[in-house]
Structures are given as C-alpha cells and as structure tokens.
Short mmCIF file of all heavy atoms in Angstrom, two decimals:
data_model
loop_
_atom_site.label_atom_id
_atom_site.label_comp_id
_atom_site.label_asym_id
_atom_site.label_seq_id
_atom_site.Cartn_x
_atom_site.Cartn_y
_atom_site.Cartn_z
N MET A 1 76.79 104.01 129.89
CA MET A 1 78.10 103.38 130.01
C MET A 1 79.19 104.40 129.95
O MET A 1 79.09 105.45 129.33
CB MET A 1 78.32 102.41 128.89
CG MET A 1 77.61 101.05 129.08
SD MET A 1 77.97 99.90 127.73
CE MET A 1 79.43 99.09 128.44
N ASP A 2 80.26 104.09 130.62
CA ASP A 2 81.43 104.93 130.61
C ASP A 2 82.23 104.76 129.29
O ASP A 2 82.22 103.72 128.76
CB ASP A 2 82.29 104.55 131.82
CG ASP A 2 83.43 105.56 132.09
OD1 ASP A 2 83.23 106.68 131.83
OD2 ASP A 2 84.48 105.06 132.47
N VAL A 3 82.80 105.81 128.87
CA VAL A 3 83.58 105.76 127.62
C VAL A 3 84.72 104.76 127.70
O VAL A 3 84.98 104.07 126.74
CB VAL A 3 84.12 107.17 127.23
CG1 VAL A 3 84.98 107.12 126.07
CG2 VAL A 3 82.96 108.16 127.01
N TYR A 4 85.32 104.70 128.88
CA TYR A 4 86.49 103.78 129.02
C TYR A 4 86.05 102.32 128.94
O TYR A 4 86.71 101.48 128.42
CB TYR A 4 87.18 104.05 130.29
CG TYR A 4 87.87 105.44 130.30
CD1 TYR A 4 87.45 106.42 131.11
CD2 TYR A 4 88.89 105.64 129.46
CE1 TYR A 4 88.03 107.68 131.10
CE2 TYR A 4 89.54 106.88 129.42
CZ TYR A 4 89.11 107.91 130.24
OH TYR A 4 89.71 109.14 130.25
N GLU A 5 84.85 102.04 129.46
CA GLU A 5 84.28 100.69 129.36
C GLU A 5 83.97 100.34 127.95
O GLU A 5 84.23 99.18 127.51
CB GLU A 5 83.04 100.52 130.20
CG GLU A 5 83.31 100.65 131.73
CD GLU A 5 82.02 100.54 132.48
OE1 GLU A 5 80.96 100.07 131.91
OE2 GLU A 5 81.98 100.96 133.67
N ILE A 6 83.46 101.26 127.15
CA ILE A 6 83.14 101.00 125.78
C ILE A 6 84.44 100.81 124.99
O ILE A 6 84.54 99.81 124.22
CB ILE A 6 82.37 102.25 125.18
CG1 ILE A 6 81.01 102.33 125.84
CG2 ILE A 6 82.25 102.07 123.67
CD1 ILE A 6 80.26 103.57 125.47
N LEU A 7 85.44 101.58 125.22
CA LEU A 7 86.71 101.41 124.51
C LEU A 7 87.45 100.11 124.93
O LEU A 7 88.07 99.46 124.15
CB LEU A 7 87.63 102.61 124.77
CG LEU A 7 87.14 103.91 124.02
CD1 LEU A 7 88.06 105.04 124.38
CD2 LEU A 7 87.02 103.73 122.61
N LYS A 8 87.30 99.77 126.24
CA LYS A 8 87.90 98.55 126.73
C LYS A 8 87.26 97.32 126.04
O LYS A 8 87.95 96.41 125.60
CB LYS A 8 87.80 98.41 128.24
CG LYS A 8 88.42 97.18 128.82
CD LYS A 8 88.17 97.08 130.29
CE LYS A 8 88.62 95.75 130.81
NZ LYS A 8 88.25 95.59 132.26
N GLY A 9 86.00 97.32 125.98
CA GLY A 9 85.29 96.24 125.28
C GLY A 9 85.63 96.19 123.75
O GLY A 9 85.71 95.04 123.20
N PHE A 10 85.76 97.33 123.17
CA PHE A 10 86.10 97.40 121.77
C PHE A 10 87.51 96.82 121.52
O PHE A 10 87.71 96.02 120.60
CB PHE A 10 86.08 98.85 121.27
CG PHE A 10 86.64 99.09 119.86
CD1 PHE A 10 86.01 98.53 118.81
CD2 PHE A 10 87.81 99.79 119.74
CE1 PHE A 10 86.51 98.76 117.51
CE2 PHE A 10 88.34 100.00 118.48
CZ PHE A 10 87.67 99.46 117.36
N VAL A 11 88.46 97.18 122.34
CA VAL A 11 89.78 96.67 122.21
C VAL A 11 89.83 95.15 122.43
O VAL A 11 90.52 94.41 121.71
CB VAL A 11 90.78 97.37 123.18
CG1 VAL A 11 92.17 96.68 123.19
CG2 VAL A 11 90.97 98.81 122.74
N GLN A 12 89.06 94.71 123.46
CA GLN A 12 88.99 93.23 123.69
C GLN A 12 88.40 92.52 122.49
O GLN A 12 88.91 91.46 122.07
CB GLN A 12 88.13 92.96 124.95
CG GLN A 12 88.85 93.28 126.22
CD GLN A 12 87.93 93.04 127.39
OE1 GLN A 12 86.77 92.88 127.23
NE2 GLN A 12 88.56 92.97 128.62
N ASN A 13 87.39 93.06 121.92
CA ASN A 13 86.71 92.39 120.71
C ASN A 13 87.63 92.41 119.58
O ASN A 13 87.74 91.38 118.85
CB ASN A 13 85.46 93.16 120.38
CG ASN A 13 84.34 92.88 121.36
OD1 ASN A 13 84.39 91.93 122.09
ND2 ASN A 13 83.34 93.75 121.37
N ILE A 14 88.38 93.49 119.32
CA ILE A 14 89.29 93.55 118.22
C ILE A 14 90.43 92.48 118.40
O ILE A 14 90.82 91.82 117.45
CB ILE A 14 89.97 94.94 118.02
CG1 ILE A 14 88.86 95.94 117.57
CG2 ILE A 14 91.16 94.97 117.17
CD1 ILE A 14 88.46 95.69 116.12
N VAL A 15 90.97 92.45 119.60
CA VAL A 15 92.08 91.42 119.83
C VAL A 15 91.53 89.99 119.67
O VAL A 15 92.26 89.18 118.92
CB VAL A 15 92.64 91.63 121.26
CG1 VAL A 15 93.56 90.51 121.62
CG2 VAL A 15 93.39 93.02 121.33
N ILE A 16 90.45 89.68 120.22
CA ILE A 16 89.87 88.34 120.11
C ILE A 16 89.58 88.02 118.63
O ILE A 16 89.91 86.96 118.14
CB ILE A 16 88.66 88.15 120.97
CG1 ILE A 16 89.01 88.22 122.45
CG2 ILE A 16 87.87 86.85 120.57
CD1 ILE A 16 87.90 88.30 123.37
N PHE A 17 88.96 88.95 117.93
CA PHE A 17 88.64 88.69 116.52
C PHE A 17 89.91 88.59 115.67
O PHE A 17 89.94 87.82 114.71
CB PHE A 17 87.71 89.83 115.94
CG PHE A 17 87.26 89.54 114.58
CD1 PHE A 17 86.30 88.55 114.33
CD2 PHE A 17 87.77 90.26 113.54
CE1 PHE A 17 85.86 88.31 113.03
CE2 PHE A 17 87.35 89.99 112.22
CZ PHE A 17 86.43 88.98 111.98
N SER A 18 90.89 89.36 115.95
CA SER A 18 92.16 89.31 115.24
C SER A 18 92.82 87.97 115.40
O SER A 18 93.30 87.33 114.39
CB SER A 18 93.14 90.39 115.68
OG SER A 18 92.61 91.61 115.42
N VAL A 19 92.85 87.37 116.62
CA VAL A 19 93.44 86.14 116.83
C VAL A 19 92.63 85.02 116.13
O VAL A 19 93.17 84.13 115.48
CB VAL A 19 93.52 85.82 118.37
CG1 VAL A 19 93.93 84.39 118.65
CG2 VAL A 19 94.53 86.78 119.02
N LEU A 20 91.33 85.08 116.24
CA LEU A 20 90.50 84.09 115.62
C LEU A 20 90.57 84.14 114.11
O LEU A 20 90.56 83.09 113.42
CB LEU A 20 89.06 84.16 116.13
CG LEU A 20 88.80 83.77 117.54
CD1 LEU A 20 87.36 84.03 117.89
CD2 LEU A 20 89.18 82.34 117.76
N SER A 21 90.61 85.33 113.55
CA SER A 21 90.68 85.48 112.12
C SER A 21 92.06 85.01 111.54
O SER A 21 92.07 84.35 110.50
CB SER A 21 90.39 86.89 111.65
OG SER A 21 91.39 87.78 112.13
N ALA A 22 93.08 85.24 112.30
CA ALA A 22 94.40 84.80 111.84
C ALA A 22 94.46 83.22 111.88
O ALA A 22 94.99 82.61 110.99
CB ALA A 22 95.50 85.31 112.73
N PHE A 23 93.78 82.68 112.88
CA PHE A 23 93.73 81.18 113.03
C PHE A 23 92.88 80.63 111.84
O PHE A 23 93.30 79.60 111.23
CB PHE A 23 93.09 80.80 114.33
CG PHE A 23 92.93 79.35 114.52
CD1 PHE A 23 94.02 78.55 114.78
CD2 PHE A 23 91.67 78.74 114.47
CE1 PHE A 23 93.90 77.20 114.93
CE2 PHE A 23 91.52 77.37 114.70
CZ PHE A 23 92.63 76.62 114.93
N CYS A 24 91.81 81.30 111.51
CA CYS A 24 90.99 80.79 110.38
C CYS A 24 91.67 80.91 109.02
O CYS A 24 91.52 80.07 108.16
CB CYS A 24 89.67 81.57 110.35
SG CYS A 24 88.53 81.15 111.71
N ILE A 25 92.47 82.00 108.87
CA ILE A 25 93.21 82.17 107.61
C ILE A 25 94.22 80.99 107.45
O ILE A 25 94.40 80.52 106.30
CB ILE A 25 93.99 83.52 107.60
CG1 ILE A 25 92.94 84.66 107.47
CG2 ILE A 25 95.01 83.58 106.52
CD1 ILE A 25 92.32 84.80 106.14
N HIS A 26 94.82 80.58 108.48
CA HIS A 26 95.78 79.49 108.40
C HIS A 26 95.12 78.09 108.20
O HIS A 26 95.78 77.22 107.75
CB HIS A 26 96.71 79.43 109.70
CG HIS A 26 97.63 80.54 109.74
ND1 HIS A 26 98.67 80.75 108.88
CD2 HIS A 26 97.66 81.64 110.56
CE1 HIS A 26 99.35 81.80 109.23
NE2 HIS A 26 98.75 82.41 110.21
N LEU A 27 93.85 78.08 108.44
CA LEU A 27 93.16 76.80 108.24
C LEU A 27 92.63 76.61 106.82
O LEU A 27 92.18 75.56 106.44
CB LEU A 27 91.97 76.65 109.19
CG LEU A 27 92.27 76.45 110.67
CD1 LEU A 27 91.01 76.38 111.47
CD2 LEU A 27 93.08 75.13 110.83
N LEU A 28 92.65 77.69 106.04
CA LEU A 28 92.12 77.63 104.70
C LEU A 28 92.94 76.63 103.89
O LEU A 28 94.21 76.59 103.95
CB LEU A 28 92.14 78.96 104.02
CG LEU A 28 91.11 79.93 104.58
CD1 LEU A 28 91.33 81.34 103.97
CD2 LEU A 28 89.72 79.49 104.32
N PRO A 29 92.31 75.78 102.99
CA PRO A 29 93.01 74.78 102.28
C PRO A 29 93.88 75.33 101.13
O PRO A 29 94.83 74.73 100.72
CB PRO A 29 91.91 73.92 101.72
CG PRO A 29 90.71 74.80 101.65
CD PRO A 29 90.87 75.76 102.78
N ASP A 30 93.57 76.50 100.64
CA ASP A 30 94.31 76.96 99.46
C ASP A 30 94.54 78.48 99.64
O ASP A 30 93.76 79.22 100.27
CB ASP A 30 93.50 76.71 98.23
CG ASP A 30 94.28 76.79 96.95
OD1 ASP A 30 95.54 77.00 97.05
OD2 ASP A 30 93.70 76.64 95.86
N GLN A 31 95.62 78.94 99.02
CA GLN A 31 95.99 80.40 99.10
C GLN A 31 94.95 81.27 98.41
O GLN A 31 94.80 82.42 98.78
CB GLN A 31 97.38 80.63 98.45
CG GLN A 31 98.53 79.94 99.21
CD GLN A 31 98.90 80.75 100.49
OE1 GLN A 31 98.60 81.90 100.56
NE2 GLN A 31 99.51 80.08 101.42
N ARG A 32 94.31 80.76 97.37
CA ARG A 32 93.44 81.60 96.60
C ARG A 32 92.17 82.08 97.35
O ARG A 32 91.51 82.98 96.98
CB ARG A 32 93.06 80.96 95.26
CG ARG A 32 92.23 79.70 95.45
CD ARG A 32 91.91 79.08 94.14
NE ARG A 32 91.18 77.87 94.40
CZ ARG A 32 91.21 76.81 93.57
NH1 ARG A 32 91.93 76.91 92.42
NH2 ARG A 32 90.50 75.75 93.89
N TYR A 33 91.86 81.32 98.47
CA TYR A 33 90.69 81.69 99.27
C TYR A 33 91.01 82.75 100.26
O TYR A 33 90.08 83.31 100.87
CB TYR A 33 90.11 80.47 99.99
CG TYR A 33 89.64 79.36 99.03
CD1 TYR A 33 90.24 78.10 99.09
CD2 TYR A 33 88.67 79.58 98.07
CE1 TYR A 33 89.81 77.11 98.29
CE2 TYR A 33 88.25 78.61 97.25
CZ TYR A 33 88.81 77.37 97.31
OH TYR A 33 88.41 76.42 96.47
N GLN A 34 92.28 83.08 100.48
CA GLN A 34 92.62 84.02 101.53
C GLN A 34 92.14 85.38 101.21
O GLN A 34 91.71 86.12 102.13
CB GLN A 34 94.18 84.03 101.73
CG GLN A 34 94.71 82.90 102.48
CD GLN A 34 96.14 83.02 102.79
OE1 GLN A 34 96.76 84.02 102.49
NE2 GLN A 34 96.72 82.02 103.51
N LYS A 35 92.14 85.83 100.03
CA LYS A 35 91.70 87.17 99.64
C LYS A 35 90.21 87.36 99.98
O LYS A 35 89.80 88.40 100.39
CB LYS A 35 92.03 87.57 98.25
CG LYS A 35 91.35 86.77 97.18
CD LYS A 35 91.83 87.22 95.79
CE LYS A 35 91.26 86.35 94.70
NZ LYS A 35 91.64 86.80 93.44
N TYR A 36 89.42 86.36 99.76
CA TYR A 36 88.03 86.40 100.05
C TYR A 36 87.77 86.32 101.58
O TYR A 36 86.91 87.15 102.07
CB TYR A 36 87.24 85.23 99.41
CG TYR A 36 87.40 85.20 97.92
CD1 TYR A 36 88.16 84.19 97.31
CD2 TYR A 36 86.94 86.24 97.11
CE1 TYR A 36 88.32 84.17 95.94
CE2 TYR A 36 87.11 86.22 95.74
CZ TYR A 36 87.80 85.19 95.17
OH TYR A 36 87.98 85.15 93.80
N ALA A 37 88.51 85.60 102.27
CA ALA A 37 88.38 85.54 103.75
C ALA A 37 88.82 86.85 104.34
O ALA A 37 88.17 87.35 105.28
CB ALA A 37 89.21 84.38 104.31
N ARG A 38 89.87 87.47 103.86
CA ARG A 38 90.37 88.75 104.38
C ARG A 38 89.33 89.85 104.08
O ARG A 38 89.17 90.76 104.89
CB ARG A 38 91.73 89.09 103.78
CG ARG A 38 92.82 88.26 104.33
CD ARG A 38 94.19 88.72 103.79
NE ARG A 38 95.16 87.71 103.99
CZ ARG A 38 95.93 87.58 105.13
NH1 ARG A 38 95.69 88.42 106.12
NH2 ARG A 38 96.82 86.63 105.24
N PHE A 39 88.75 89.78 102.91
CA PHE A 39 87.75 90.76 102.56
C PHE A 39 86.53 90.65 103.52
O PHE A 39 86.06 91.74 104.05
CB PHE A 39 87.24 90.57 101.12
CG PHE A 39 86.13 91.47 100.72
CD1 PHE A 39 86.37 92.82 100.48
CD2 PHE A 39 84.79 91.01 100.63
CE1 PHE A 39 85.31 93.69 100.11
CE2 PHE A 39 83.77 91.88 100.30
CZ PHE A 39 84.07 93.19 100.00
N ALA A 40 86.02 89.47 103.78
CA ALA A 40 84.93 89.28 104.71
C ALA A 40 85.30 89.73 106.14
O ALA A 40 84.53 90.36 106.80
CB ALA A 40 84.50 87.81 104.75
N MET A 41 86.51 89.42 106.56
CA MET A 41 86.94 89.83 107.87
C MET A 41 87.12 91.36 107.95
O MET A 41 86.90 91.97 108.99
CB MET A 41 88.22 89.11 108.21
CG MET A 41 88.00 87.68 108.47
SD MET A 41 89.54 86.76 108.76
CE MET A 41 89.01 85.10 108.58
N GLY A 42 87.52 91.96 106.87
CA GLY A 42 87.62 93.45 106.83
C GLY A 42 86.21 94.05 106.99
O GLY A 42 86.08 95.07 107.68
N LEU A 43 85.20 93.42 106.40
CA LEU A 43 83.86 93.93 106.57
C LEU A 43 83.37 93.84 108.04
O LEU A 43 82.69 94.73 108.48
CB LEU A 43 82.91 93.20 105.64
CG LEU A 43 83.05 93.44 104.16
CD1 LEU A 43 82.03 92.56 103.37
CD2 LEU A 43 82.81 94.89 103.88
N VAL A 44 83.81 92.80 108.67
CA VAL A 44 83.47 92.62 110.11
C VAL A 44 84.15 93.73 110.92
O VAL A 44 83.57 94.27 111.81
CB VAL A 44 83.83 91.23 110.61
CG1 VAL A 44 83.63 91.10 112.08
CG2 VAL A 44 82.95 90.17 109.84
N TYR A 45 85.45 93.98 110.57
CA TYR A 45 86.17 95.06 111.26
C TYR A 45 85.45 96.39 111.12
O TYR A 45 85.31 97.16 112.10
CB TYR A 45 87.56 95.19 110.76
CG TYR A 45 88.53 94.16 111.37
CD1 TYR A 45 89.24 93.30 110.54
CD2 TYR A 45 88.79 94.12 112.70
CE1 TYR A 45 90.15 92.40 111.08
CE2 TYR A 45 89.64 93.23 113.27
CZ TYR A 45 90.35 92.35 112.41
OH TYR A 45 91.25 91.44 112.95
N VAL A 46 85.00 96.65 109.93
CA VAL A 46 84.28 97.94 109.66
C VAL A 46 83.00 97.98 110.46
O VAL A 46 82.67 99.06 111.05
CB VAL A 46 84.03 98.12 108.12
CG1 VAL A 46 83.01 99.25 107.90
CG2 VAL A 46 85.28 98.29 107.35
N CYS A 47 82.28 96.91 110.55
CA CYS A 47 81.07 96.90 111.32
C CYS A 47 81.33 97.08 112.84
O CYS A 47 80.62 97.73 113.53
CB CYS A 47 80.30 95.60 111.11
SG CYS A 47 79.61 95.41 109.48
N MET A 48 82.46 96.50 113.34
CA MET A 48 82.82 96.64 114.70
C MET A 48 83.13 98.09 115.03
O MET A 48 82.74 98.63 116.03
CB MET A 48 84.00 95.77 115.06
CG MET A 48 83.64 94.26 115.06
SD MET A 48 85.11 93.22 115.14
CE MET A 48 85.57 93.44 116.89
N ILE A 49 83.86 98.74 114.14
CA ILE A 49 84.22 100.15 114.32
C ILE A 49 83.01 101.10 114.22
O ILE A 49 82.85 101.96 115.05
CB ILE A 49 85.30 100.57 113.30
CG1 ILE A 49 86.62 99.83 113.54
CG2 ILE A 49 85.48 102.07 113.25
CD1 ILE A 49 87.62 100.03 112.49
N MET A 50 82.10 100.77 113.28
CA MET A 50 80.89 101.58 113.20
C MET A 50 80.01 101.46 114.45
O MET A 50 79.45 102.43 114.89
CB MET A 50 80.09 101.14 111.95
CG MET A 50 80.62 101.59 110.68
SD MET A 50 79.66 101.03 109.24
CE MET A 50 77.96 101.39 109.74
N ASP A 51 79.99 100.26 115.02
CA ASP A 51 79.21 100.05 116.24
C ASP A 51 79.71 100.85 117.36
O ASP A 51 78.99 101.56 118.09
CB ASP A 51 79.18 98.54 116.59
CG ASP A 51 78.39 98.29 117.81
OD1 ASP A 51 77.26 98.84 117.92
OD2 ASP A 51 78.89 97.52 118.66
N VAL A 52 81.07 100.88 117.55
CA VAL A 52 81.62 101.63 118.65
C VAL A 52 81.48 103.17 118.44
O VAL A 52 81.10 103.89 119.37
CB VAL A 52 83.17 101.28 118.80
CG1 VAL A 52 83.85 102.29 119.73
CG2 VAL A 52 83.26 99.93 119.29
N VAL A 53 81.65 103.68 117.21
CA VAL A 53 81.52 105.05 116.93
C VAL A 53 80.11 105.46 117.19
O VAL A 53 79.80 106.55 117.82
CB VAL A 53 81.93 105.40 115.45
CG1 VAL A 53 81.56 106.78 115.07
CG2 VAL A 53 83.48 105.22 115.29
N CYS A 54 79.15 104.69 116.72
CA CYS A 54 77.66 105.03 116.96
C CYS A 54 77.36 105.00 118.48
O CYS A 54 76.58 105.82 118.91
CB CYS A 54 76.80 104.10 116.16
SG CYS A 54 76.77 104.41 114.41
N THR A 55 77.96 104.09 119.16
CA THR A 55 77.65 104.00 120.61
C THR A 55 78.25 105.19 121.33
O THR A 55 77.59 105.76 122.20
CB THR A 55 78.26 102.68 121.19
OG1 THR A 55 77.69 101.55 120.48
CG2 THR A 55 78.01 102.56 122.65
N LEU A 56 79.42 105.60 120.95
CA LEU A 56 80.06 106.75 121.57
C LEU A 56 79.31 108.03 121.32
O LEU A 56 79.21 108.95 122.18
CB LEU A 56 81.52 106.91 121.14
CG LEU A 56 82.50 105.86 121.70
CD1 LEU A 56 83.87 106.02 121.09
CD2 LEU A 56 82.58 105.96 123.20
N PHE A 57 78.73 108.18 120.09
CA PHE A 57 78.07 109.40 119.81
C PHE A 57 76.55 109.30 120.00
O PHE A 57 75.77 110.19 119.58
CB PHE A 57 78.33 109.83 118.34
CG PHE A 57 79.75 110.26 118.14
CD1 PHE A 57 80.61 109.51 117.34
CD2 PHE A 57 80.21 111.41 118.71
CE1 PHE A 57 81.89 109.97 117.17
CE2 PHE A 57 81.46 111.84 118.56
CZ PHE A 57 82.39 111.09 117.74
N GLY A 58 76.07 108.27 120.67
CA GLY A 58 74.72 108.14 121.09
C GLY A 58 73.74 107.72 120.01
O GLY A 58 72.54 107.61 120.21
N GLY A 59 74.23 107.32 118.88
CA GLY A 59 73.39 106.79 117.80
C GLY A 59 73.24 105.30 117.90
O GLY A 59 73.69 104.66 118.88
N THR A 60 72.54 104.74 117.00
CA THR A 60 72.35 103.32 116.90
C THR A 60 72.73 102.85 115.53
O THR A 60 72.63 103.56 114.56
CB THR A 60 70.91 102.81 117.21
OG1 THR A 60 70.07 103.50 116.27
CG2 THR A 60 70.50 103.23 118.63
N VAL A 61 73.16 101.58 115.47
CA VAL A 61 73.45 101.00 114.22
C VAL A 61 72.19 100.35 113.69
O VAL A 61 71.54 99.55 114.36
CB VAL A 61 74.59 99.94 114.29
CG1 VAL A 61 74.85 99.24 113.01
CG2 VAL A 61 75.81 100.49 114.91
N PRO A 62 71.74 100.78 112.42
CA PRO A 62 70.52 100.17 111.92
C PRO A 62 70.71 98.64 111.65
O PRO A 62 71.73 98.20 111.14
CB PRO A 62 70.33 100.94 110.61
CG PRO A 62 71.59 101.54 110.26
CD PRO A 62 72.35 101.71 111.52
N VAL A 63 69.68 97.94 112.03
CA VAL A 63 69.70 96.50 111.90
C VAL A 63 68.62 96.09 110.89
O VAL A 63 67.50 96.52 110.97
CB VAL A 63 69.44 95.77 113.23
CG1 VAL A 63 69.37 94.29 113.03
CG2 VAL A 63 70.47 96.13 114.27
N ILE A 64 69.03 95.26 109.94
CA ILE A 64 68.08 94.79 108.91
C ILE A 64 67.55 93.48 109.38
O ILE A 64 68.30 92.52 109.60
CB ILE A 64 68.74 94.68 107.57
CG1 ILE A 64 69.26 96.02 107.11
CG2 ILE A 64 67.78 94.14 106.53
CD1 ILE A 64 70.12 95.96 105.84
N SER A 65 66.27 93.39 109.55
CA SER A 65 65.66 92.12 109.97
C SER A 65 64.82 91.60 108.86
O SER A 65 64.10 92.39 108.20
CB SER A 65 64.88 92.29 111.26
OG SER A 65 63.83 93.24 111.07
N PHE A 66 64.84 90.32 108.66
CA PHE A 66 64.05 89.67 107.55
C PHE A 66 62.86 88.96 108.17
O PHE A 66 62.81 88.38 109.13
CB PHE A 66 64.94 88.73 106.82
CG PHE A 66 66.09 89.40 106.12
CD1 PHE A 66 67.37 89.33 106.64
CD2 PHE A 66 65.87 90.01 104.90
CE1 PHE A 66 68.39 90.00 105.99
CE2 PHE A 66 66.91 90.60 104.24
CZ PHE A 66 68.16 90.62 104.77
#
C-alpha cells in the first residue's frame, strides 16, 4: 500500500470516530459517566494510532484471540 493511502484511511477513521464518539458522549444520561467514556475512547484512539504506526513501519499489531 502507498503511504498516502494509509494516511488517508487513518485520517478518515479518526474523523469518523471523533464524530461518533462526540455523539455518544452527548447521549450519556449523566455527567459522571463521561470520564469513563472518554477514557475508553482514548484507548481506542491509542489503538488506532498504534495500528497505523505499525503498518507504516512494516510490523503487525499483536492480536489476542481467546
């Protein structure tokens, strides 16, 4: 794959996830749940970034299967 295609897909995924996560944050019934939702979404962001970095450098992201 071309580097530009990888980065384009990464940016698209980040934008889509940002919009959906903001929508989900506003749907929460109480303010006290927001910190947990933001933490979980932050973990997803970290995983998305790790996936792109590993793809760019030719590695793979280890997958745990049960």
Side-chain angles (χ1 to χ4, degrees):
M1 281 183 92
D2 189 35
V3 174
Y4 294 113
E5 290 177 20
I6 294 171
L7 292 177
K8 180 182 173 187
F10 171 67
V11 170
Q12 286 177 345
N13 288 340
I14 289 290
V15 168
I16 291 170
F17 185 72
S18 297
V19 170
L20 290 177
S21 63
F23 180 71
C24 290
I25 289 290
H26 290 292
L27 288 178
L28 290 174
D30 197 5
Q31 293 284 340
R32 64 180 178 210
Y33 299 121
Q34 284 188 1
K35 63 181 176 181
Y36 302 113
R38 289 185 195 274
F39 177 73
M41 291 174 194
L43 291 177
V44 173
Y45 279 122
V46 169
C47 291
M48 290 170 73
I49 292 170
M50 284 178 48
D51 181 45
V52 170
V53 169
C54 288
T55 302
L56 288 175
F57 290 114
T60 59
V61 177
V63 177
I64 299 171
S65 59
F66 295 100

